[in-house]
Amino acid sequence: MESAKQPTRVSILGKENIIVDYNIWGSFVALDLLTNVQSSTYVLVTDTNLHNLYIPTFAKVFHDLVLELGVDSRLLTYQIPPGETSKSRATKASIEDWMLSEARDPPCDTRTVIIALGGGVIGDMIGFVAATFKRGIRFVQVPTSLLAMVDSSIGGKTAIDTPAGKNLIGAFWQPQRIYIDLQFLNSLPTREFINGMAEVIKTAAIWDEGEFATLEKNADHIMRAIKTSAEMGDDRLSGVREILKGLVLGSVRVKAHVVSADEREGGLRNLLNFGHSIGHAFEGILTPQILHGECVAIGMVLEATLARYLGVLKGAAVSRLMKCLASYELPTTHHDVLVQQRSGRKNCSTKQLMSIMGVDKKNDGRKKRIVLLAGIGRTHEQKASVVPDQAIKVILSAAIVVSPLVTKSLQVTCTPPGSKSISNRALVLAALGEGPCRIKNLLHSDDTEVMLKALAEMQCATFGWDDDGEVLVVNGNGGRMRVSENELYLGNAGTASRFLTTVATMAQSSTQGSSILTGNLRMKARPVGPLVDALKANGADITYLEKEGSLPLEIKASHGMEGGDINLAATVSSQYVSSILMCAPYAKKPVTLRLVGGKPISQPYIDMTAAMMASFGIKIETSTEEEHTYHIPKGRYRNPVEYHIESDASSATYPLAIAAITGTTCTVPNIGSSSLQGDARFAVDVLEPMGCIVEQTEHSTTVTGPTNKSLRSLPEIDMEMMTDAFLTAAVLAAVAQDRSGMNTTRITGIANQRVKECNRIEAMKDQLAKFGVKCRELDDGIEIDGTSHSSLRCPVDGVECYDDHRIAMSFSVLALKAPKATLIRERECVGKTWPGWWDTLAQEFAVKLDGVDLEQPHKANTDSMDGMDRSIFIIGMRGAGKTTTGGWAARILDWPFVDLDTHLEASVGCTIPELIQKEGWDGFRQAEFATLKKSIANQPRGYIFACGGGVVEMPQARKLLIDYHRSGGIVLFVQRNIEDVMEFLQIDKTRPAYVEDMMGVWLRRKPWYRDCSNFEYLSQSSAPDVLTRASKDFSRFLTTITARRQALRCIKAKEHSFFVALTMPEVSEALLSLDEVIVGSDAVELRVDLLKDPRNPGSTPSVDFVAQQLAALRSSVNSPIIFTVRTSSQGGRYPDNAREEALALYQLAFRMGVDFLDLEVQYPKEFLDSAAQMKGQTKIIASHHDPKGELSWSDGSWVSFYSKALQYGDIIKLVGLATRQEDNAELEAFRSWARSAHDTPIIAINMGVEGQLSRIQNSFLTPVSHPALPFKSAPGQLSAAEIRQGLALHGAIKTKQFYLFGKPISASRSPALHNTLFGLTGLPHKYGLLETDNVHDVTDVLKADTFGGASVTIPLKLDIMELLDEVGMDAKIIGAVNTIIVDASRSGKTPGKYLTGHNTDWQGMTLSLHNTGAQHREGDSALIIGGGGTARAAVYALHKMGYSPLYMVGRSPPKVNALIETFPDEYNLRTLSSLSDIASMEDVPVVAIGTIPADRAIDQDMRETLCHVFHSPQGDNKQKRILLEMAYKPRMTALMQLAEDAGWVTIAGLEALAGQGFHQFQHWTGIAPLYKDARAAVMGEEK
């Protein structure tokens, strides 16, 4: 592999010890070592990833040369785990001990040469070993990563990491040789390559603008090369070999020069840390998921921004640096989508970052030192500069605090950035034009960056920078361009989206035939419909990919517009007009553009476009015959040599407004009366009438605000010609007053501001209200009641900016008059048009700014349709249960329910069959569509709608529903067994009969239903006895998909949690055993790969079969469901290659609203992204299993899987294989590291018998089995009870003592009940009796450390309350506590425990009634017999079950009436004391609870009343009637006999005792036991 020519040598510290070229590893390195770095022992250290790739071949070459040269030398090799975790004291010690071991025979000595082959971790670590071993031995660097080649291998810095930070312990120790073999880069992963480019860019940025320009110029070539598959061998780098060598050598020479001048980092060498001060702070938080170079890239941008803030760097240089980094796909902010995804959205607070920066080695004591750029290729000082913490915090923080202090004598000259409107137009015109054009004063902002990137992507032009980034050089291609191969992501850049929509139609096909324009969520809500309509009418082929009328768009290449007549509605945005005007010269025919639909909005912007087109050689003609009509000739733009962009007139309003509101003077030097921009009139038309002195020349504007009086309010301002400036006028109007007392300013002509970055009119109203300013929205404007400065309030939670630059800048103006400092949230949003706005405030206006972290960042929902309160539309076949589920949904969410068929009938005044008879099916369908469309438009929030079964027959209705759910709404497809539906349809005559085969209708509609919906609910049955259970099942489903049920949050709150993995082939056949299987588990896993469809036994389970199994499972268990499709390679049975089928199953699971879905990270990125995008409210468990034991917890090999899981998972699950007990200890160390690094919950266990300890030690969602299951889903799996027993033996679950307090209690069955349940669930706790009638006897027990909880019975149910910290609402209303619950996480009257009293008697009653089949239906009433304490619990229970009215019968009517008076009216309690009361009953009770003593005869009058009630006819209500007898003895009481004689079903009192004990146990332990176990213990039955 030796190079054909001599490699390049670079001198460092006076010696040519750096050797650079391709293919020098092997013979060249071995020969050079043996010849020039002679030793008897060479120790080659690398990591386990590189060893097999490079060591065996090198060892052979080395051995052959030793023989050939006849030297006495040996080569020893040592491997360490890869990754940053190896850069530790422990790894260093292990290497040193190995080198000193007698096993080396002889041990290494002072003449040993140690060679570091690898990246920065290996080089830093081995260099430090060399520096300290035997007080220093020679070492050699062989860097294999680009990062190490250009940075860490050069200069002699060696170090290890400590818990306090990176590289804090180390030494300067220069290598004898640095061999940089560029061929290593050929196999370097793309991300690692990009990681290294950060250091290359850094070096050029501080030292050599020419090198930086080379980087800019060659970005596309280099990125294409490094993205080529490494399997293609040398071809990967063949096209950029010399470019790469030149760039690497450039960086190497700079670093070698700096190190030679300042070896020990006295000053100059600090410059090499540009980007590192802040970058290392981010790395300290985000490593290892975010790489060093990625963090340095973020640090470079922030440190450059800091330099701009301090006034030592121009904004153009910051923008240029960001563009260069972005061109190499390096992040420029930690909010970058990939950074957020890879890091698990980890927060990087300013406090954390400042703390890490506080230990930076460059610091001067407490003073932080940071390298500040002065321009591309040069620094502010030849060392790191001292920077105040306040300035750093401003740059790092998400929000900013603006203090209200401006010097009255201030006179400022302020030049705002270039106009966004002119900049974007100039970019399009120059790109479409021919020849070069030097654009000066271009706005450097998010918007223009998006535009530049998109134009370059479509190859419209080439772009370069000149004059330190102040001039953009555009070489236009004369309208020739190609389809973009990548999606054009435009963020929230509205101007770019409108302009590029037309530009993209001009493209020619490349490898693809269409360009895709997309943006963020807000961009997807902004309108583009009128423009698309006009283009489509002119022959363009454009498709909406989501919501009609908005991005994303698919635009087919069509070589430009057809031309001729084009009609365009321009009442919403003038950008539609400008978009067509600018592209019209390249149409196939001359264009006549007519603006229709009314007066065009923002005419000045249309005039601006026309004037700029003239500057580029195309003059448009305004029609003299037709209003708002333009004639555009065919032609090509001829680029002017130079084009100067005016400052942005909208932005200029902010500094001028500061002068107005503070009584100071401000001059904007390059905006005057000759401006192209309508907003240039702001000073003359708004500020002057408000009382300011305005001097405006042709090219400048000066404003001086009133000094001794307030601004004047203006009765009316028409701002149609400067709509963007209305926000500035609004904040001035907030403090404007009139001597006449008329302080209201009315701003009109700004209707288009509702569809900007946000609904700006509503946003201004809401945010001004926080200052105490009253506003009213108008149809096309806003009214503002001005107030005095002294009356302004300061917003409590700050100003919400809605990610809108103009809101942030406007309120920063008002903040200068606020009574105290004002918090402006979303500091960075000003980057859209004025990235340096905060710099301007601080430098030019001397405003005090402070950066702050937001503890609870939030987004306003002003006009967002993304909230979970959006209306729900239910679709499905008639008879599938839409009305039933709609009624349930309405009750669950407390929203109105609307049946759209019924609503349609009411609106047309006839039934649907009558409407069809009169208008025909087409007429009915049109009316149905109109009703649906109106409902979506007019009732978008807080409604439940059930659609007609045939609504999906209409393509336009399908599109409406698809757009609705794609934009974040819920369309729910309800279905049940089609045979049941068909049976129902034979009976229902309220709707027209089907005119075709019903099964054929179903098969046709089924795919439409699925396409039109994003969720589906499969009802198991419509039988009456199933509906109660089904309603609970539906409630769990609905609350999950609407984010009202938070299963993950509940499970995370538990100290130990488990899920049971079902292993049966068909769930529906095992429903009877499910209750037993899930006891003690917090979730249940459906192993789809283990299911077997009896109809297709040899194939993978179908979507329909799995849907039935999932529905059956959910209807049978209350636990959250985990949906898992385990593949063969991961230890399951699902085929690895059935990816398409697996994705369809995942989609089904998301649609059916499962709580959790197991997603294997072994799938390709595209698959994982597709799955993650469908997740809705389902939480993803990102998993990786290693059934073959190929990974080790100790060597870092699990880190990459952890990092990948972190990108996709709400939970991470990693399963290894243990072959020895030490594997469990290593796993615990890994788990500890993971928990300290991220908050994402982790399941980490080892399979196999040796790994059972890891299952006991895993505390979160441990997978468990159960003896009742056919087999265990993984080797070594334990039951939940077994794990709890293990935890108890290890002391992880402490034994607690539980009691029954009261007297007499010796015959109580409670000890038998609870001790049985403790034993069955594996808990070590004990339950005993404490018999007393004096509440103070239990005081010491309550304080004991071992006290776990208690049952309370008479006579202490009321007395116990005084000893508790809190009494639950149930116990308060019932007036008795029967359960004490201990919360050890907080303190009450006793430190370390908080005691709460509840009453579970009512829960025992409801459980007993439900178990016997009690189902509340609308209008059902109930009966309570008795008037004592137990009767109160019965009232509470029956009210909770929904029964109303509640009738009461007692021996003493006055006592009963007194009890009734203590309950709220909503309980609807009524006394039955006479036969007339019985005769007037509205409804006959269907449920009764007896609470009278059973040891005495029933009073005669009471008996007569009960007989009449029990024997009362039921009418149409045929459900069974149930009596619950609360007395325990005798087994058959007189009351029970009375009820049974009347045909009632009776329940013995011990059932309720078992029920209340069941709930007590659940309160104490968080475990829902098996009811039959509780019952058997109470009844004294053998299990």
Side-chain angles (χ1 to χ4, degrees), residues 309 390 401-412 658 662 664 816 837-849:
Y309 178 77
Q390 175 268 340
V401 174
V402 181
S403 295
L405 295 172
V406 172
T407 306
K408 288 290 183 185
S409 60
L410 203 65
Q411 293 192 13
V412 171
I658 291 176
T662 61
T664 57
L816 300 178
W837 169 246
W838 307 115
D839 316 345
T840 300
L841 274 184
Q843 294 165 26
E844 306 294 340
F845 293 95
V847 174
K848 182 178 182 295
L849 302 175

Side-chain angles (χ1 to χ4, degrees), residues 1043-1054 1156 1179:
R1044 287 164 173 81
R1045 182 181 189 228
Q1046 298 287 341
L1048 177 57
R1049 185 182 302 168
C1050 296
I1051 294 172
K1052 283 171 68 175
K1054 295 192 172 190
F1156 303 98
K1179 304 303 180 187

Side-chain angles (χ1 to χ4, degrees), residues 1060-1064 1085 1087 1090 1131 1133 1248-1249 1252 1255 1263-1279 1282:
V1060 63
L1062 302 184
T1063 56
M1064 59 274 296
E1085 181 183 42
R1087 280 289 298 271
L1090 302 180
R1133 296 183 181 175
V1249 175
Q1252 288 182 332
R1255 296 178 183 273
V1264 297
S1265 185
H1266 191 279
L1269 288 169
F1271 57 90
K1272 297 179 179 181
S1273 65
Q1277 211 168 56
L1278 302 169
S1279 70
E1282 288 172 327

Side-chain angles (χ1 to χ4, degrees), residues 1210-1222:
D1210 302 286
I1211 299 166
I1212 294 170
K1213 182 185 180 190
L1214 305 176
V1215 181
L1217 177 67
T1219 56
R1220 58 197 181 106
Q1221 285 299 306
E1222 287 82 0

Side-chain angles (χ1 to χ4, degrees), residues 1216-1255:
L1217 177 67
T1219 56
R1220 58 197 181 106
Q1221 285 299 306
E1222 287 82 0
D1223 291 330
N1224 300 318
E1226 291 169 359
L1227 183 152
E1228 279 308 297
F1230 182 93
R1231 190 200 318 278
S1232 177
W1233 165 80
R1235 283 176 172 171
S1236 66
H1238 292 276
D1239 294 330
T1240 305
I1242 182 171
I1243 306 165
I1245 57 174
N1246 282 322
M1247 289 183 284
V1249 175
E1250 293 284 357
Q1252 288 182 332
L1253 177 60
S1254 72
R1255 296 178 183 273

Side-chain angles (χ1 to χ4, degrees), residues 1037-1150:
F1037 164 77
L1038 185 65
T1039 52
T1040 296
I1041 68 172
T1042 58
R1044 287 164 173 81
R1045 182 181 189 228
Q1046 298 287 341
L1048 177 57
R1049 185 182 302 168
C1050 296
I1051 294 172
K1052 283 171 68 175
K1054 295 192 172 190
E1055 190 173 357
H1056 301 282
S1057 56
F1058 309 90
F1059 72 84
V1060 63
L1062 302 184
T1063 56
M1064 59 274 296
E1066 190 169 356
V1067 173
S1068 53
E1069 291 184 356
L1071 296 181
L1072 294 178
S1073 64
L1074 281 180
D1075 284 348
E1076 181 179 0
V1077 166
I1078 66 173
V1079 170
S1081 292
D1082 303 281
V1084 56
E1085 181 183 42
L1086 178 63
R1087 280 289 298 271
V1088 176
D1089 56 301
L1090 302 180
L1091 294 177
K1092 293 181 180 177
D1093 185 349
R1095 291 167 296 185
N1096 298 289
S1099 61
T1100 57
S1102 68
V1103 168
D1104 285 343
F1105 174 72
V1106 174
Q1108 292 167 0
Q1109 300 302 299
L1110 181 54
L1113 177 61
R1114 190 167 53 200
S1115 68
S1116 302
V1117 300
N1118 294 324
S1119 305
I1121 292 174
I1122 301 172
F1123 187 92
T1124 299
V1125 185
R1126 183 72 63 234
T1127 59
S1128 299
S1129 63
Q1130 295 280 292
R1133 296 183 181 175
Y1134 204 80
D1136 289 297
N1137 58 357
R1139 291 178 183 171
E1140 191 174 326
E1141 294 85 348
L1143 194 61
L1145 290 172
Y1146 287 159
Q1147 184 177 28
L1148 170 75
F1150 291 134

